């Protein structure tokens, strides 16, 4: 283990760092090197290194031992396999739960880690209107729930559960291996109880020893205003319960916002293009279209507008989450009738000289246009 880096160095903290400093540094490094976010080849190794350093330094007993003996301390030694930390857990209060689960609130942790059920991810389409108003929706999912008959133990009765003798209920056993001149100790999952620490002699006949039954559940949830596609809502403990008891996984709902018939969304702004006839561009026009916020959207096209120009209507876009609303941005687009009648054509023909670019001004108009575009 001579090539192991100093734990304080790994976390980038001083030797007298407080618990708070350790947590802060761990959290930020773990986010940086989490394999879900960091694809560089050494990220996973680094991530494990950070976890190991934190696991030792955040436990006051282990830390004291490490301070005295370094990596060769009595309970150090190899075999650190890393925790299953999800990226989301590195934000907000989730990490606190994790700390208490993994590190027993900073004290001795002699019991095996509780099994955790699988999480469920569902995708749910929601109407565009919800981006304005928020609201509530529901999903139906099939979930493994704890068996009522055996209370999730999987056994016919409490007496039918025996502590596993191989691992003495620890769920893991220590394997010792000779590596060169060293004896390396590794913790592995107990092969007899599969890490559960107990063995069921007589299984419950409702769940057949599984400790759980699949049931359809309807879960209601709130959608915040300003929601966008891809947003994920996480509900702790609404996922599957693991076999033979433990902590239920989470339910994650990924929201997919349905498209609006004409608006395109850019954050809290709404973009649309509006076909406008030539007379309306030239003379100006006021019009109204229905708007998802309930009040009609009044569009005032000023005289001498150009196709390709935009109008901004402020505060009528989507809520931006900071108590304000974005804008509606309207692109004006010249509308040309597809099949003008003969009489329309002849009327336009009579106006041609008034509406077109005069031949002898053509070059200067082209230059004006170019300058306009460059400015
Ligand atoms: Zn066992
Ligand atoms: Zn059962």
């Amino acid at each position: 283990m001579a090539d192991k880096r100093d734990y304080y160095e790994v976390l980038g903290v001083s030797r007298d760092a407080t618990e708070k400093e350790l947590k802060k540094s761990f959290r930020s490094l773990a986010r940086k090197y989490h394999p879900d976010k960091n694809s560089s080849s050494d990220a996973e190794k680094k991530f494990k290194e950070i976890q190991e350093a934190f696991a030792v330094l955040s436990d006051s007993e282990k830390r004291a031992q490490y301070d005295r003996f370094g990596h060769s301390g009595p309970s150090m030694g190899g075999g650190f396999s890393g925790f299953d930390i999800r990226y989301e857990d590195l934000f907000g209060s989730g990490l606190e739960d994790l700390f208490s689960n993994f590190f027993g609130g900073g004290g001795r942790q002699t019991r095996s880690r509780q099994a955790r059920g699988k999480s469920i991810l569902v995708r749910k389409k929601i109407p565009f209107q919800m981006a304005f108003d928020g609201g509530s929706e529901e999903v139906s999912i099939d979930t493994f729930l704890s068996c009522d008959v055996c209370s999730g133990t999987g056994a016919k009765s409490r007496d039918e559960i025996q502590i596993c003798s191989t691992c003495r209920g620890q769920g893991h056993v220590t394997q010792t291996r000779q590596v060169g001149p060293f004896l390396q100790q590794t913790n592995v999952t107990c092969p007899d109880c599969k890490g559960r620490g107990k063995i069921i002699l007589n299984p419950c006949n409702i769940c057949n020893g599984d400790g759980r039954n699949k049931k359809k559940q309807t879960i209601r949830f709130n959608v915040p205003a300003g929601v966008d596609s891809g947003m994920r809502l996480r509900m702790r403990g609404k996922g599957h319960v693991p076999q033979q008891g433990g902590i239920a996984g989470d339910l994650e709902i990924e929201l997919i916002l349905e498209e609006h018939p004409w608006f395109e969304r850019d954050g809290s702004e709404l973009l649309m293009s509006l076909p406008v006839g030539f007379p309306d561009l030239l003379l100006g026009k006021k019009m109204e279209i229905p708007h998802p916020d309930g009040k009609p959207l009044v569009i005032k096209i000023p005289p001498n507008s150009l196709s390709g120009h935009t109008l901004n209507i402020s505060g009528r876009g989507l809520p931006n989450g900071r108590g304000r609303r974005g804008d509606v941005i309207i692109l004006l687009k010249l509308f040309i009738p597809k099949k003008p009648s003969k009489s329309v054509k002849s009327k336009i023909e009579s106006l041609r000289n008034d509406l077109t670019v005069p031949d002898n001004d053509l070059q200067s108009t082209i230059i004006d246009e170019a300058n306009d575009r460059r400015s």
Side-chain angles (χ1 to χ4, degrees):
M1 309 271 147
D3 57 342
K4 250 191 175 174
R5 279 173 70 206
D6 177 66
Y7 288 149
Y8 291 98
E9 194 187 309
V10 169
L11 291 179
V13 293
S14 65
R15 299 194 80 83
D16 53 7
T18 62
E19 198 181 323
K20 214 173 150 191
E21 287 167 330
L22 285 172
K23 267 189 199 179
K24 198 175 157 217
S25 169
F26 169 73
R27 215 190 273 247
S28 107
L29 287 167
R31 262 188 241 141
K32 191 169 159 201
Y33 290 108
H34 195 286
D36 285 359
K37 295 282 154 178
N38 192 325
S39 56
S40 65
S41 57
D42 62 339
E44 202 175 329
K45 210 181 123 210
K46 276 241 168 72
F47 188 55
K48 231 178 222 182
E49 194 183 25
I50 297 159
Q51 287 184 51
E52 180 177 336
F54 185 73
V56 170
L57 296 185
S58 65
D59 181 317
S60 52
E61 273 179 41
K62 284 197 178 139
R63 182 174 175 179
Q65 227 177 65
Y66 177 74
D67 286 344
R68 281 187 70 190
F69 304 106
H71 289 300
S72 53
S75 71
M76 299 297 152
F80 184 84
S81 53
F83 297 117
D84 175 26
I85 297 180
R86 282 163 298 186
Y87 186 71
E88 300 82 30
D89 289 332
L90 297 169
F91 292 86
S93 59
L95 195 54
E96 305 307 324
D97 293 353
L98 233 89
F99 283 138
S100 50
N101 279 342
F102 288 163
F103 309 122
R108 276 146 280 163
Q109 194 181 9
T110 47
R111 278 190 45 221
S112 60
R113 203 180 133 202
Q114 251 190 309
R116 197 184 187 106
K118 287 211 166 73
S119 292
I120 303 172
L121 172 67
V122 287
R123 296 198 166 79
K124 173 76 184 172
K125 262 196 179 176
I126 51 169
F128 184 85
Q129 190 66 38
M130 281 209 173
F132 269 92
D133 308 330
S136 98
E137 269 289 351
E138 57 182 43
V139 286
S140 266
I141 44 169
D142 287 321
T143 322
F144 279 113
L145 297 178
S146 191
C147 172
D148 294 334
V149 177
C150 63
S151 315
T153 61
K156 209 163 207 167
S157 75
R158 292 268 165 203
D159 309 331
E160 313 280 0
I161 308 172
Q162 220 175 46
I163 299 287
C164 171
S165 56
T166 311
C167 62
R168 296 190 305 277
Q170 296 289 302
H172 50 83
V173 288
T174 307
Q175 279 179 352
T176 309
R177 198 158 66 104
Q178 185 89 31
V179 180
F182 301 102
L183 275 181
Q184 192 185 45
Q185 293 198 326
T186 319
N187 266 343
V188 296
T189 303
C190 172
D192 289 345
C193 64
K194 308 275 182 295
R196 289 185 199 114
K198 58 203 174 188
I199 286 183
I200 289 165
L201 303 174
N202 208 349
C204 161
N205 45 21
I206 299 301
C207 62
N208 294 317
D210 194 54
R212 47 189 202 161
N213 297 305
K214 209 166 212 183
K215 286 202 182 106
K216 194 161 226 53
Q217 271 194 306
T218 301
I219 306 234
R220 278 203 86 77
F221 57 93
N222 289 323
V223 179
V227 61
D228 203 351
S229 271
M231 181 176 183
R232 283 190 179 189
L233 304 172
R234 172 113 167 253
M235 301 166 99
R236 279 196 171 266
K238 295 284 185 196
H240 298 304
V241 160
Q243 283 178 317
Q244 296 171 9
I247 307 163
D250 300 335
L251 168 65
E252 241 180 299
I253 303 168
E254 182 173 318
L255 302 175
I256 302 184
L257 194 62
E258 279 173 359
E259 281 190 2
H260 188 269
W262 61 78
F263 281 124
E264 213 180 295
R265 177 181 187 168
D266 182 11
S268 60
E269 303 201 316
L270 293 174
L271 321 175
M272 65 173 284
S273 74
L274 180 70
V276 189
F278 179 75
D280 302 333
L281 286 174
L282 187 72
L283 307 172
K285 190 182 182 180
K286 187 175 156 186
M287 56 178 97
E288 282 188 8
I289 54 171
H291 196 55
D293 67 5
K295 277 195 311 183
L297 195 67
V298 180
I299 304 170
K300 288 182 205 137
I301 301 165
N304 298 312
S305 289
L306 294 177
S307 180
H309 275 192
T310 53
L311 303 175
N312 240 23
I313 303 182
S314 94
R316 298 295 296 278
L318 291 166
N320 67 1
R322 294 183 297 276
R324 304 189 58 168
R325 280 173 62 187
D327 298 346
V328 172
I329 299 167
I330 300 169
L331 173 73
L332 302 177
K333 234 182 135 186
L334 178 62
F335 170 79
I336 301 279
K338 283 211 174 76
K339 279 182 191 153
S341 65
K342 265 200 179 132
S343 82
V344 167
K345 279 188 190 167
S346 74
K347 279 183 211 154
I348 294 286
E349 186 60 60
S350 69
L351 288 170
R352 191 195 277 267
N353 285 339
D354 298 313
L355 297 177
T356 199
V357 181
D359 280 348
N360 46 357
D361 287 349
L362 184 59
Q363 203 169 325
S364 66
T365 329
I366 293 174
I367 292 169
D368 283 350
E369 180 68 33
N371 286 337
D372 234 30
R373 233 182 319 164
R374 283 174 194 143
S375 65

